[in-house]
């Protein structure tokens, strides 16, 4: 099976069909940014971008994604040049312990792409023009949990990243 992660192609040989994408990333490819939080798709710590869309990698069987393009937090920025969302999190102190941060960042990148495409959220009104209002950002990021409570700093970090 072939899987492209952060632009590098990987051939996975002898992969157990029950192996999740998260376990491939962490155990086979040694990319530890995506975290195993709940292992049930409830916390979002394992969020990565799969063909540009945010997914909980703990719920995806790797074998179901042949030739997929996966982007992890490690693939978003470059040394000395962080992704705008990463920079926003740094500038606004959008993390505390940091455990959920990679998933939050990947989710925010995917969410901003959804906004750019005009996708509505559960709170988007019919006359809503501001898809980056606080309520919109909170709703769109609701699948990512932070036990430390860094949410108030994440909202302006994401809004600022959208403007970059």
């Amino acid at each position: 099976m072939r899987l492209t992660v952060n632009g590098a192609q990987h051939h996975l040989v002898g992969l157990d069909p029950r192996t999740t994408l998260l376990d491939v990333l962490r155990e086979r490819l040694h990319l530890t940014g995506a975290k195993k939080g709940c292992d049930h798709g409830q916390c979002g710590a394992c969020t990565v971008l799969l063909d540009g869309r945010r997914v909980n990698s703990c719920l995806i069987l790797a074998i179901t994604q042949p030739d997929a393009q996966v982007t992890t937090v490690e693939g978003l920025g470059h040394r000395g040049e962080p992704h705008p969302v990463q920079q926003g999190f740094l500038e606004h102190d959008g993390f505390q312990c940091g455990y959920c941060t990679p998933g939050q960042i990947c989710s925010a990148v995917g969410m901003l792409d959804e906004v750019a495409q005009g996708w509505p959220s559960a709170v988007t009104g019919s006359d809503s023009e501001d898809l980056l209002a606080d309520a919109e950002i909170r709703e769109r990021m609701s699948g990512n949990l932070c036990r430390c409570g860094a949410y108030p700093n994440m909202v302006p970090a994401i809004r600022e990243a959208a403007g970059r």
Side-chain angles (χ1 to χ4, degrees):
M1 173 184 158
R2 285 185 309 215
L3 188 65
T4 302
V5 181
N6 300 330
Q9 193 171 77
H10 300 275
H11 296 279
L12 304 171
V13 179
L15 187 64
D16 184 321
R18 299 168 294 178
T19 305
T20 65
L21 178 58
L22 175 61
D23 287 337
V24 166
L25 295 172
R26 292 184 61 81
E27 306 301 326
R28 297 282 294 264
L29 304 180
H30 307 291
L31 296 169
T32 57
K35 303 293 190 265
K36 188 175 279 204
C38 66
D39 216 16
H40 290 89
Q42 297 173 340
C43 72
C46 67
T47 303
V48 298
L49 301 172
L50 180 64
D51 294 329
R53 296 198 53 202
R54 55 189 171 154
V55 298
N56 290 336
S57 61
C58 72
L59 297 179
I60 306 285
L61 293 176
I63 202 160
T64 66
Q65 301 303 315
D67 301 315
Q69 302 283 327
V70 178
T71 304
T72 68
V73 72
E74 293 95 340
L76 289 176
H78 305 288
R79 187 167 291 234
E81 187 181 329
H83 185 279
V85 174
Q86 292 170 319
Q87 187 65 41
F89 270 63
L90 287 170
E91 291 174 3
H92 290 275
D93 195 24
F95 50 89
Q96 286 182 17
C97 81
Y99 194 84
C100 72
T101 305
Q104 297 276 4
I105 288 172
C106 284
S107 188
V109 170
M111 182 267 304
L112 289 174
D113 186 53
E114 293 165 11
V115 168
Q117 293 180 44
W119 293 9
S121 77
V123 298
T124 304
S126 60
D127 62 346
S128 179
E129 291 185 23
D130 187 7
L131 295 179
L132 288 173
D134 287 0
E136 282 283 341
I137 293 172
R138 286 186 185 104
E139 171 61 26
R140 291 171 185 270
M141 293 295 293
S142 65
N144 290 79
L145 304 179
C146 173
R147 291 185 176 136
C148 299
Y151 302 116
N153 297 342
M154 291 178 195
V155 172
I158 293 167
R159 190 180 310 102
E160 183 174 309
R164 290 188 182 179

